[in-house]
Every structure is written in C-alpha cells, then in structure tokens.
Amino acid sequence: MAFITANWNPLGEAFYRKSELYEMCWNLRDGLRDCLVSAAPYGGPIALLREPHKRSPSSRPQLEIYSASGVGIASFPWKSGPVVHLGWTVSDELLCIQEDGSVLIYDLFGSFKRHFSMGQEVVQSQVLEAKVFHSPYGTGVAIVTGSSRFTLATNIDDLKLRRLPEVPGLQGKPSCWVVLNQERQTKVLLSNGPEIYILDSTSCTAVCPPGLGPQAGSIVHMSVSFRYKYLALFTDSGHLWTGPSHLQDKMSEVDTKKSTPPKQMVWCRRPKSQQPSVVLMWDRLLMVAGVCNDTIQFPTEDQCVLVGELDGVRIISSANQELLQEVPLVCQDIFKIASMAPGALLLEAHREYEKSSQKADEYLREIKEQSMLGEAVRQCVEAAGHEYNTDTQKSLMRAASFGKCFLTDFSPDLFVSTCRELRVLNAVRESSVGLPLTHTQFKQMTLQVLIDRLVYRQFYPLAIEICRYLKIPDYQGVSRVLKHWASCKVQQKDLSDEAIARTVCLKVGDSPGVSYSHIAAKAYECGRTELAIKLLDFEARSGEQVPLLLKMKRSQLALSKAVESGDTDLVYTVVTYLKNEMNRGDFFMTLRNQPVALSLYRQFCKLQEQETLKDLYNQDDDHQELGNYYVTASYREKRLENRLSLLQSAVDEYNKAKNEFSAKATEEEMRLLRFQRKLDDEKGAGLLELSLQATMEALLALGLHKQAEQLYRDFRVPDKRYWWLKLKSLAEKEEWEELEKFSKSKKSPIGYLAFVDVCMKSNNTYEAKKYVSKVTPEQRVKAHLAISDLEGAADAATERRNESEMAAVLSRCSTSDRLLIDRLNRARACAVKK
Amino acid sequence: MAHSARRDCPELPDFSLLKRLARDRLIYLLEQLPGKKDLFIEADLMSSLDRIANVSTLKQHEVDKLYKVEYRPVVSTSDQLCFLIRPRIQTVKWICDVANADKAVGRLRKYHIIFTPQKFFACEAVLEEQGIFGDVTTDEWSFYLLPLDDDVISLELPEFFRDNFLAGDQRWVRTAGSALHLLHTLYGPFSKVYGIGRFSKMAYESWREQVEEGEQRARQAEIGTVFLIDRDVDYVTPLCSQVVYEGLVDDIFRIKCGCVEFGTEVTSDKSLKVMLNSQDKVFNEIRNEHFSNVFGLLSQKARNLQTAYDKRRGMDIKQMKTFVSDELKGLKQEHRLLSLHISASESIMKKKTQQDFQELLKTEHSLLEGFEIRESICFLEEHIIRQVNMMESLRLLCLLSITENGLLPKDYRSLKAHFLQSYGAEHLLTFSNLRQLGLLVEQPAGETLTVMESRVGKLVNDKTAGKLTGAFSSLAKKSNFRALSRKLNLVPKSDEEYDLRVPRDMAYIFSGAYVPLSCKLVEQVLERDGWTGLEEVTKLLNGQEFAVTGSIGADSSTKSDAQRIVIVVFLGGCTFSEISALRFLGREKGYKFIVVTTAITNSSRLIESLLGNIA
C-alpha cells in the first residue's frame, strides 16, 4: 500500500503525483535543445524541428514526427521557409507557421496536404510569434507580426482571417500573450510592460487584474487553462497571480522567489477539482504552485517540454515522459494512509480474503454495517479507471468484483464498461501505439475519436479489434476503419493494381457502409484510374459508380452502369452528358450499344426533337423505323403535297428495308389519296383521309357506282369485300331490284345467306325469301329460320338429318307448333338411331 | 356461387392507411405554398385525386379554383399557379408555354409544379431548355398506391404498359419498386418473394436497394408473400373476352378508378356514376360470377328482398318502428342497387347474346383449344371485311398469332391487307407496334417446319411435340402458348360438361374454356413454394423467374396468417377476370390475394395503347 503513495506530494488539501508514462523510444543526440517542439494534447504526436534557424541550403533543418512514446513516424529535411511555430490540429495534422505568414499543413506521416496564408501584409512585416489554439469551432491560428498587429483565424478548415485592432504603444512583439476563448468569442490577452490589454475583433481594452498591485511589476509570462477558464500571470518580481480568465476575481498570489521568467508555464487541474494549480518550468526546476500559497518543487536534469492536458501535465524530456496530475479524490480516499473510506476497507477485505484470513469478514462486516458496500464497489471501480499501473487496476477491480458478490441488486454496467475501457486504454497506452490517454481524457474524447486517431496512425488491426471488442455497430465501427484502410491501401505505389484490388475486396468484402465507389474515387485522386475501375467493379450499387466513371471520362462504362442500375434518371444524366461531350456520330454509336438508353433517348426525341429521331434511325440504317417515322410525320402534315412526298420517302425506306408489303401498302395509300383528292375536287365528296373501304362506301352512298367499281378494280379489292359492301349499300338504300340484279351478276363469293340477312335487317321478308333457295344446304336451315319459316327449316333439317340443326329449329318452336315439334322429334329419333 | 370459403382465410390488412398518408402528404405540399392559389390537375389524375381528397379539403388549404390541364392558355387571375401533374414532357412543355406567355406580357406569377408520383430528370431538362427552370419550384407527391377496393390497389399508371413493353422506356420500373417498398414498410416485412419477367426482376431489385438503404424496423408482418409478374408473360388472358360480371361491366361500360358511369340505356333517365366495390352488397355478390349465373342470383336476391319487406306485415307498432329505423334504409339502398344491376345486366344481355358475340366466343375458344384454325381465320377475314369492330378484329388477330406462334406469311399478309383496306393505311404503324411486342407476328419464311410441327404436334403425342417446340424455342419472342397450355393443362378437355354454377377451377371465368396462365402460375408457385418442378414452363416463358425467401430482413417463420396473405403485382396491368380468378383461388386454397397493378386493363385498353396513330 505504501508504495502507491510514495510519489504523492501534498499541496494544500490535494496531493500531486508524477508518474512515468514511457521511457522514450527515440534517440535524440542533442536532447531537446535548440528545437522547436510541439506535442498535441490527448496523448498526441510530437513534432520536432531541429535548429529551425539554420538557413544554409547545404544543411537544412530536419523535421521529425514521433508518437507520444517517441516512436518515429516521419522525418524529412525542411526545405521551405523559416518556421516560427509548430502546432497540431484536432485531427492530428501538423501546422507549420512560417515567417512569411504561410501555414503549411502536413499529415501525421509527413506528407504535405495543403497550405494557406495568414494574409498578404504578413509577407512584408513577418510573423514574430504564433500560437495554435483549439476551440469548439476547430483549430485556430493566431499571429503577431513585425508591425505589432495580431491576426486570427478561428477555424483553419473554414478560413476567415480577422485582423485585430492596433494596440496603443506596442512596438515589436508584446512581452507575452495568450489566446482566450470567452463567450463564444476569440480574444487575445497581451501585456506590454506593466499594461495588460484585451484585444477583440473591434476594440483594444486595457484591463487590470484585481489584486495585482503596481508593486508586482510587469507581466512577463502568462498562461491560460485547458478550457480557458483560468489565467495565470507571472511578473518580473517573481509573483504568480492566478484567477479566472474573465479577470473579475483573484484566486491567489504566490511569491515564487524566482527572478527569471519561467520557460514554460502550464495549468494543471482536473475537471471538478477546486484546487487548480500551475506548473512552472525553469532550467532544472519544476514548480507546482497552487492557490494555497504552497509549492512543490521537482528538480529536473534534462531540458523538458510541458504539455497541458485536460487533467494534468505531461512532461516530456529526451529520456522519458511523465504525467503530473492531482491525485483523483477517489484514489486519495482509497490509498491515503489509514483511510477508513468504504473503498479502502473493501480493498483491504479482499486482500485478507486472498490470504484466506477471516479478517476479510470483519472488514466486510464493517462496510455492510454502514451499508456502504455499493459505494465501496463504486469507489474501487472508479479508482481503477484512474490508475495507470495495470497491477493496481487489477487489484482494485478484483476487490470490486469481490464486493459485488455480496450485493443483490447492484447494476453490473459500470463494472463491465470500466473493465472494457481499461482493456482498450491499456492497449493504446502500449509503447508501440503510444497514446497515453487517461480515463478522464478518454471519456472526454469519446471512443469514436479514439478510433479515428488509431486510424490516422494506421493501426487498423487494433482499431478493428477494439470495435469488435466493444461491439460497436459495424456501420460506425469496423466498416469505418476498413474504409480508411482501403483508402490508404490504394495509395501504396509499390503494389500492382491487381494485387490491391484483390486485397481490398478480400478485406472489405461486403461490409455495410463501405462504399467501393468512395475507395475508387480515392484511387483516382492518386492517379490510378485502372485501379479505380477495378474497384468500381465491386460496387454493388451501379448507380454509385456512375459519377466517378464520368469524372474519369469512362463514359461508355458509365452509361452501361447507369443502365444496370435501373435508374432511368441516371441513364438520362449520362446521356445528356454524352450528348454534350461527344460528336454526334460517336454519340449515336454509343447509344446504339445501349438499347435501354437508346429507347429512353428516343422517347425524349419523339416529344422534343423529331429531327434527331430521324438521324438516329439513319445512323442505324433502320429503314423500317424510318419508314414508320415518315408515315407518322405524314399524318402531321396538313398539305397533301407534303404528305405525299413524306409517304414517298416512306416507300423508299420500306423498299430499302425489303418490306415489300409496307411499301406496297403505302404506295396504295398514296394512290388512294390522289384519287380521293381528284374526286373531292370534282364532286366535293369529302373523301380525304377515309380508308379504302370507307371511300367505296361513301362512293356507293353517293351513287357513284362507276368510281367505286374503278377502285374495286384498281386496288384489287377482294370480291368478298366488294360484294359485302355493295350488298350492304343496296340494302340500306332499299334498292331491291338492283340487289336482285346484283345477286344474279355472278355466283356470290359470300354465299346467299348474307343476302337473306340484309333483307331481314330491313324487315323485308318478301325480298329475303327470294334468296333462301340459293343458300347452300349447310346454311339453309339458318336461312329458313332467319325468315322465321319454321316449316322450311324443319324440312331442310330433316333432309340433312342433322341433329343439332333440328334442335335449333325445335328451340325456336313455340307450343302452338305441336305438329311440327312431333315431326321433328320423330326425325330426330330416327337420326339418332342411325 | 356457393361461397364455401375456407374458414381459415386470414383477414385482409387495412389499406385505407395508404389514402390517409397520401392525403396528409398532399396537404403538406399545398401548405408549402401559402396563400390563395389556382390548382391545375392533369386530366387522368382527377379521379384518383377524388378518392384521396375532395374539393372541400383542397379549398380548406387555400386552393381557389380548380382546373383540368387542357393544353390551352390559362385564364386564371391568380398570382400563384400550382400544377399537379404526371411527370410527362408534354405537360411540362405546356407549363413552360404558360410561363413564357406570362413573361411576354410582363406578368409576374409563382409557378409550382407537384409531380406525382415522382419527378424525372427529363422533365427538369425540358424546364431548363425552355428557360424557365428558375421561375418554377417543383415538388414530388409520392402518391404511389390507390386502393380501389379491399383487395385491389392500383398505381394508376396505364402508360406503364406502352412505355415499358413497347418503347423500352424503363423509367416506371423504379416507381413500381418504390410502391413495393412502401407496402413493405407499412405491411411487411415480406418473407417470400417470387416473380417472373424482366421488369419484375428489375422492380424487385430496385425495391431491395431501397430496403437496404433505409432503416429497418422489426415488426409483425401483415403480408408475407409477394408474387410479381410482367404482363408480357401472359398476353392471352387479357386478350380474351371477359364473361364474369365485373369484367363484362368493364368491357362494356369501362370502369374508371373503381367507378362506372352507366348511360341512359341502363338508368332510363340520366346517366349515373356508381362506385363499384365491396361496399355495394349486391355487386359484391355477383362481381365474380360467370354472367350466365348473374340473373339467377339477382332474382334470388330480389326474392330475399321481398321477404325482408314482407316481414313488416303482421308487425305491431313497436316492431314497425324498429324496422323502419334499422332495416328499411338498408333495404331501400339494396333495392336501388339491385334494380341498377338488373338493368345493367339486361343491357349487357342485349349486347352479348347477339349472334355475332356467340360466334366470336366460339372462335375464341377454338383458338384457345387449337382446333378449326382455318375456320377461325375465315371468320376473322369476314369480320374484318365486314368492319364489324376494329378492336375486336385486332384482338382476335393477336390471339390467333399468340396461340399459333405467329401467322403463316400468306395469312398474315392477306389479313393485314384486308385490315388496312377496311381501316386505313395508318394502321401500318399499329401492326409495326404489335409485331414489336410479339403480339401479332408472321412466321418467318424459313420456319415452315414450325407449321409442320404444329400440325404434326396435333397428330403425334404430346411428348414429341414438346421436343420439337423445345428445339425451336431458341428463336426469340415466341409465345409457345400451345406447349404451355399442355404443360399446365390450361385448356380443360372440351367434351366434359362444365357447370358454371359450381366452378371447379379458375377456368370458370372463361366459361370453362381456359385457365388464365397468369393465375395458374401464381397457383403453381405457391403450391410448390418456388419454381422447382416448373423448369420447363419457365423455359417456355423465356426464363427470368426468381424466388427469394426470407432475405428481406424477415424470418419466414412469422405467423402463418401473414404467409397466406399474398400480394400479386401485375406490371403492365391486370384484368378484372384475373382478379376474380385469384379471389376464387384464394377461397379454394385458403389464401387472401391482394392485387397490386400498374392499372386495370382489358383487351381494348391493351390494344388501344398500341395503336399506331398515337405518337
């Protein structure tokens, strides 16, 4: 027990402990001397620029990027201009702010991503100092120029430069300054000699920290806490003033008895703690100064860098890395010597239990008597979360588990989730991964972001393991990792397209939420078109493939994929694109290979561009359709000449299509039209547009028998048709004599039953009878029935010995026809016998 | 018909939800355009809209005047014009004209287009081309499904048929997929999906994509099974004359959106619009009956009604009072409907018992059976020459071609020539369309063997004929009707008596002459739980069949009731006869069928949509 509190140092009511995180893996020859160093919070990476002021082209400064544990990630000579400041963005990108005001952005692996400038005027005046800061809006950059002006960019991903007002009396750079984030506004707090100003976008206001008398001297160093809540000011008289950052209040003033300003000054507090303190660093000395006017002093041997964290300060030296933090209250309760907190008792009980001592029962009884067992378990679990040492974690968790056995209605959720989270944290704290996150930081950062960070660092297998272990839904977990992995994989220049495509497909498979088109787009961005196409093949939704294919100018493929998707709007989009992109011939050729797109385009042309339709058919040598096209067009024509010429074109096309039938039919139509026009002109018959049949009918109705006859001959109208026509026409006009004459003109091709029928239609039984005898034997019964001559019908049926005909006659007989019925029945019986 | 429905028939889900959803959505869209506005409605959307929201609902949401889209300059004085239209280029062009005309006289108005069920890129392209893309705002009213009855839902997209099957324009397939998706989210998850035909497959895939994209909720399925079928799988059925009551009413009076307008020949004074659905008690009993039964049933009904009226005799005052308040109204209503249907039947009778119609039916039946083809051709020739009825002629021509696998070149040409002489040369285009669809084709000259085969097939036993057909089935667009009919036993033997009063199979809807192929496929697939054992049939139908079980996020072990509620989706339209047949099948086998169709069709609508002179 005692060893846990060995590195605890009391400060006021709190304790501070400094524990080692890593022995650094790096091997720095000259330590951290003469380096520009920047380490990102939340266990982020470390960037080092050696000898930033070296400017000779022969030996350029070296930029190195390490993980928090000192594992080298990238290293390259700095070829660009002199760097003033290094900083990290929230998404692990390195910002290098140059003297000329341009900011270069590199990713974690040292590859250049983009750059932006802090303004034109900076090129002249030069950047004197720069700071990178984080706010809810993202990562920001602030600079002060040689002309003593401040410029701010609140979010580098949505760059808006703000030049702050002039500071009265400021020459060169201020003695010290910080960026504040208050009330959703970004401000600069600066000191120039004894004066302090707050600079916001519109004004520069002089302020005076309460309780800081003029005797304190001018401010030479200042620091703001992680969340911009507290401010620390260091005066040239060695006084440290602390207070809330709105400067309305004072918390403490400590005399450090140091005359030199500290090299670095960082706030060290944990959320909810009432004991904020400041860590100050001089050469060979580290001092923790709290509100209680007390200090802790640590001697240091090496040059160090302080990194402010949410709940502590990381101290990086060339040899190792330590975490300095206030001991969490729950840990104090448990581990403080002679603590009687329930958690402490439970831990003790468990320890006795392991030793098989009955004292375990005593301790347990004591906790239970105060009915604090639940609280005890909770304390142990919580403390385990805060401990860095895995053995301590284990003993605490075991104690918690032991205590839990005696509780009936204790929810296991907290225990289980802490177990899981600790496993994850221990895994990422491994030196090879190098993310020294505390539990508090992890909770603040969220798991999603942790996975993202692992992915940025290309720890794909670990990320996937974590996702699976924590059972994150695929869509947010494994799939997201795979997506990043694949996007990274396609950039590997040393692998063949084939190999990459195969590996990607193998790994990604059909994980939900991973879009192959997205991966392919990445490949295309890296100039690997062939690979992009191969990857697109795996995309199940053809629609997704289309936009990229178009971008890659694979329009043919885009078209076929669009067709495959079944989304006609997409097809149409591609068609429109192609229409503008290609010459007409190629465009048509492309369409020709895609019937679906072609019909779609045709539909459109039918309504919008008739001429194009013709061209389309022409291109295909589709003479049949061209013929149809001309015929359709002819019906839209009002003038006969135009119509005839269109029809002539149709005839030509039909001939080319070897469709003799249609050609002939169209020719006949032309002849008919001419004939109709002639008659219309001569007699005003109003025949135009009638069919042949209708024309003949009209002619007969008008009594133009000769002309009808002429049509009959000219158009080789079948006899049957002509006979029907004439028959109908004569009967309608009741020209019975003519009809009889006509019936005798030659043998009727339609038989004579028709004659009987037309007469009966006009209810002329007299005329009808004339034809009954001429009717063929098969139809004679029908004929007799038509004129209601039952006797005759019966005779005919009997003669033919046809049973069904007899039945037909019978069905027409009424009861009054007794005799006839008998006769028929007899004949029927007779016929059946035979 | 003896309604000997199986007791275990599951209950149908409530589809009025679809109407409510559509109405709420429409109201929301109208409210997006605050202030008074004039609403222009596409003509063929009028009836559907009427089923969803009546005029007063529209007026409540600040619709001032209602107009029908008539492709004429507008006379509206409103500052806001709202157009509720189908995504058709023609209509959009008209709106462009309206807007441009306003521009020319310097008039400022707001134009808002609501496309239903969705907008198409082509429409926006037209707006852009005509330079008014910036002047109009557009929206989509995703109104896919209109419930016509308890078990019939229509997409009301008659153009689906022509666009897809003739013009090869597949834009509506996704619409069908979305409609299916809507049903799936409201009444699914469906655990079994069967289908046959190219567009069925595409619609299924489009739907599946939407399922994958959307979030999935586990819920109790109300409908478990879906069967999708393309119209071109079975052209024979819609081409046959309908002889069940509802079908006949549709053939003769044309049912539009579940509503029929009886003319003066039925109502004696003035024409009357009547809703035809299961709410109409009288109609509900006779709709699925073969026409020869209808009179019997109606007179039975009349007698029952009389008895009900007669009850009041010998009643005391109190009984009389309850009779008047409770029953009389219902009886009166029934009375009115009864007399209406009796006169409708009479009117049908007059038309359908004529000599011509009987002969037509006879010819139709011999075509289906494959007997006396020569005589049928002669009949057809006379039919054309005498100009009896153009649509009927075309219908029979198509039926002849499909059942005989095309016409002999000699017959084809002479019949076509006759037809052109009778009805004009513009029908060259009609024939071209029919040929493209394979509805009316000429047997290629080189293929005389097929003729041989069809003749030989009748002499030799079925097996050899099957082999021969197999050998030729590689040739495209063959209907293979004869072989299919043998395989599935579609044409019952004609020498057996068929009692239409007590139907024994679905053939009753065609007087016992033919079991509709589409419905037979449904029956077979449900019976076999897939296509196994039907390989030869699907080969004859050019394949494209599919069966998916339990893939759509549902386990197939959902309660068995849902499994027996089956959606049958007809892509390209279905007829009332088919619906009747499915209702019959459901009663026999203990299923409940819900018919979802792109539109209600019949032979005349089918052929009208293929006429050449509509551009």
Side-chain angles (χ1 to χ4, degrees), chain A residues 278-334:
Chain A
V278 180
V279 181
L280 302 101
M281 184 185 78
W282 288 270
D283 282 334
R284 299 187 182 278
L285 179 70
L286 202 64
M287 180 189 284
V288 185
V291 285
C292 53
N293 297 329
D294 207 354
T295 60
I296 311 169
Q297 302 199 3
F298 298 103
T300 55
E301 280 159 26
D302 214 352
Q303 176 129 22
C304 295
V305 174
L306 301 182
V307 185
E309 293 279 4
L310 178 69
D311 57 347
V313 174
R314 274 191 296 146
I315 305 157
I316 302 168
S317 75
S318 61
N320 63 356
Q321 181 173 173
E322 290 167 310
L323 176 69
L324 176 64
Q325 62 170 175
E326 183 194 327
V327 179
L329 205 63
V330 63
C331 297
Q332 283 185 37
D333 282 346
I334 291 183

Side-chain angles (χ1 to χ4, degrees), chain A residues 185-405:
Chain A
Q185 251 199 325
T186 311
K187 301 170 183 172
V188 169
L189 181 73
L190 66 122
S191 76
N192 183 26
E195 281 108 42
I196 308 181
Y197 299 99
I198 281 193
L199 204 54
D200 60 22
S201 36
T202 50
S203 60
C204 176
T205 330
V207 287
C208 183
L212 191 65
Q215 77 288 353
S218 57
I219 291 156
V220 287
H221 208 308
M222 55 175 73
S223 164
V224 71
S225 71
F226 200 74
R227 285 181 172 170
Y228 304 103
K229 203 170 166 188
Y230 300 107
L231 187 69
L233 305 172
F234 191 88
T235 64
D236 55 0
S237 60
H239 280 77
L240 176 72
W241 179 94
T242 54
S245 61
H246 50 69
L247 291 172
Q248 306 282 318
D249 223 340
K250 171 185 160 178
M251 289 195 307
S252 73
E253 199 175 329
V254 182
D255 185 4
T256 60
K257 310 201 173 59
K258 287 275 178 188
S259 50
T260 47
K263 282 199 135 172
Q264 239 186 311
M265 185 164 84
V266 178
W267 277 91
C268 174
R269 64 180 292 273
R270 69 171 49 250
K272 288 179 205 150
S273 149
Q274 293 309 308
Q275 306 262 331
S277 59
V278 180
V279 181
L280 302 101
M281 184 185 78
W282 288 270
D283 282 334
R284 299 187 182 278
L285 179 70
L286 202 64
M287 180 189 284
V288 185
V291 285
C292 53
N293 297 329
D294 207 354
T295 60
I296 311 169
Q297 302 199 3
F298 298 103
T300 55
E301 280 159 26
D302 214 352
Q303 176 129 22
C304 295
V305 174
L306 301 182
V307 185
E309 293 279 4
L310 178 69
D311 57 347
V313 174
R314 274 191 296 146
I315 305 157
I316 302 168
S317 75
S318 61
N320 63 356
Q321 181 173 173
E322 290 167 310
L323 176 69
L324 176 64
Q325 62 170 175
E326 183 194 327
V327 179
L329 205 63
V330 63
C331 297
Q332 283 185 37
D333 282 346
I334 291 183
F335 293 117
K336 212 157 58 181
I337 293 166
S339 166
M340 291 299 279
L345 292 175
L346 180 59
L347 188 63
E348 199 53 41
H350 181 244
R351 201 166 296 168
E352 294 301 333
Y353 170 74
E354 297 241 288
K355 281 193 262 172
S356 311
S357 150
Q358 87 274 13
K359 272 192 188 163
D361 185 49
E362 282 171 27
Y363 283 118
L364 212 53
R365 218 178 276 276
E366 197 174 331
I367 310 171
K368 276 180 133 179
E369 267 162 20
Q370 302 168 36
S371 43
M372 294 294 273
L373 188 53
E375 175 63 13
V377 174
R378 199 192 50 72
Q379 279 188 349
C380 285
V381 171
E382 206 177 303
H386 290 300
E387 286 302 320
Y388 216 81
N389 181 297
T390 48
D391 289 331
T392 318
Q393 289 168 8
K394 275 182 202 159
S395 63
L396 284 165
M397 288 311 268
R398 287 213 182 94
S401 160
F402 172 69
K404 218 154 59 70
C405 297

Side-chain angles (χ1 to χ4, degrees), chain B residues 53-273:
Chain B
N54 51 24
V55 177
S56 59
T57 315
L58 295 177
K59 298 251 166 178
Q60 267 167 29
H61 295 90
E62 300 191 90
V63 170
D64 196 14
K65 288 192 187 100
L66 283 165
Y67 298 92
K68 192 152 96 181
V69 169
E70 285 176 311
Y71 305 106
R72 281 197 302 237
V74 302
V75 288
S76 161
T77 53
S78 176
D79 285 335
Q80 297 197 90
L81 305 185
C82 186
F83 302 89
L84 181 62
I85 59 166
R86 292 269 184 227
R88 295 184 186 126
I89 290 179
Q90 195 194 7
T91 321
V92 175
K93 261 166 96 173
W94 169 72
I95 295 172
C96 293
D97 293 344
V98 170
N100 281 328
D102 282 347
K103 261 190 197 173
V105 296
R107 180 165 189 158
L108 273 177
R109 287 204 240 229
K110 265 194 187 167
Y111 310 94
H112 186 69
I113 306 178
I114 301 174
F115 291 104
T116 182
Q118 68 200 88
K119 66 180 150 201
F120 286 128
F121 182 76
C123 295
E124 292 184 315
V126 170
L127 288 176
E128 211 174 321
E129 237 168 63
Q130 305 281 324
I132 65 153
F133 188 72
D135 303 322
V136 297
T137 47
T138 60
D139 240 322
E140 281 180 343
W141 182 31
S142 49
F143 166 47
Y144 294 108
L145 295 162
L146 175 70
L148 293 180
D149 207 339
D150 297 343
D151 59 350
V152 184
I153 303 173
S154 170
L155 275 74
E156 291 296 306
L157 285 175
E159 63 244 70
F160 186 99
F161 179 68
R162 188 181 161 105
D163 282 354
N164 258 289
F165 293 94
L166 183 65
D169 173 351
Q170 301 167 352
R171 61 202 170 134
W172 295 116
V173 175
R174 262 175 97 83
T175 316
S178 307
L180 213 51
H181 183 55
L182 180 63
L183 285 173
H184 177 252
T185 27
L186 294 178
Y187 304 102
F190 309 146
S191 41
K192 290 181 185 168
V193 183
Y194 310 107
I196 183 158
R198 236 174 95 220
F199 300 120
S200 293
K201 206 163 189 175
M202 286 173 67
Y204 164 72
E205 270 157 17
S206 154
W207 159 46
R208 206 189 49 193
E209 250 173 48
Q210 296 180 44
V211 170
E212 277 167 13
E213 279 164 24
E215 59 174 321
Q216 291 175 20
R217 279 178 302 140
R219 63 192 298 281
Q220 188 75 45
E222 286 182 76
I223 300 170
T225 310
V226 180
F227 188 99
L228 295 125
I229 183 168
D230 281 18
R231 187 68 273 174
D232 68 350
V233 168
D234 175 17
Y235 279 135
V236 174
T237 308
L239 285 174
C240 289
S241 301
Q242 305 196 67
V243 285
V244 289
Y245 184 69
E246 192 168 10
L248 265 173
V249 172
D250 188 34
D251 272 359
I252 293 172
F253 304 102
R254 294 228 163 184
I255 300 177
K256 207 172 140 198
C257 229
C259 177
V260 73
E261 187 164 0
F262 284 130
T264 43
E265 74 271 28
V266 176
T267 55
S268 73
D269 44 355
K270 60 179 182 350
S271 67
L272 182 67
K273 275 193 178 170

